[in-house]
């Protein structure tokens, strides 16, 4: 229920910019940030734990922090700049 459209991947800095679409009812597991992550909600809404974010809200997680699972009961589209995803990790 989660799709990623990679816009940019900086191999040297090991980060990326991508659109992430969450289908209604989908979840992203809790995770740790080794680098800062910036997340702009383009449409819909998400919950990071109990924290609700709606269209045009921005969430920034500092490097060295973790946050709760991300859920989207009604679906969402996000623009995210974060550490590059490593699918086999």
């Amino acid at each position: 229920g989660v799709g990623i459209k990679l816009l940019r991947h900086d191999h040297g800095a090991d980060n990326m910019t991508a659109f992430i679409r969450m289908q209604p009812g989908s979840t992203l597991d809790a995770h740790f940030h080794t680098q800062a992550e910036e997340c702009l909600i383009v449409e819909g809404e998400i919950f990071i734990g109990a924290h609700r974010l709606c269209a045009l809200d921005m969430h920034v997680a500092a490097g060295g922090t973790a946050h709760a699972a991300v859920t989207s009961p009604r679906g969402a589209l996000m623009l995210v700049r974060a550490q590059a995803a490593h699918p086999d990790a």
Side-chain angles (χ1 to χ4, degrees):
V2 178
I4 297 176
K5 168 67 173 170
L6 186 63
L7 302 174
R8 180 194 62 83
H9 184 184
D10 182 334
H11 293 279
D14 194 32
N15 63 34
M16 66 172 192
T17 302
F19 279 118
I20 298 178
R21 179 167 303 277
M22 296 183 71
Q23 297 299 321
S26 62
T27 300
L28 291 168
D29 292 336
H31 55 278
F32 181 78
H33 299 279
T34 58
Q35 298 183 19
E37 176 185 88
E38 299 172 349
C39 175
L40 174 68
I41 311 306
V42 178
E43 62 185 38
E45 73 176 350
I46 65 169
F47 289 84
I48 301 174
H51 186 72
R52 179 177 179 252
L53 297 159
C54 298
L56 301 182
D57 286 342
M58 178 128 183
H59 182 268
V60 177
T65 63
H67 63 66
V70 178
T71 59
S72 186
R74 296 187 295 201
L77 176 64
M78 303 171 284
L79 178 64
V80 177
R81 183 188 166 280
Q83 180 176 356
H86 299 282
D88 52 327

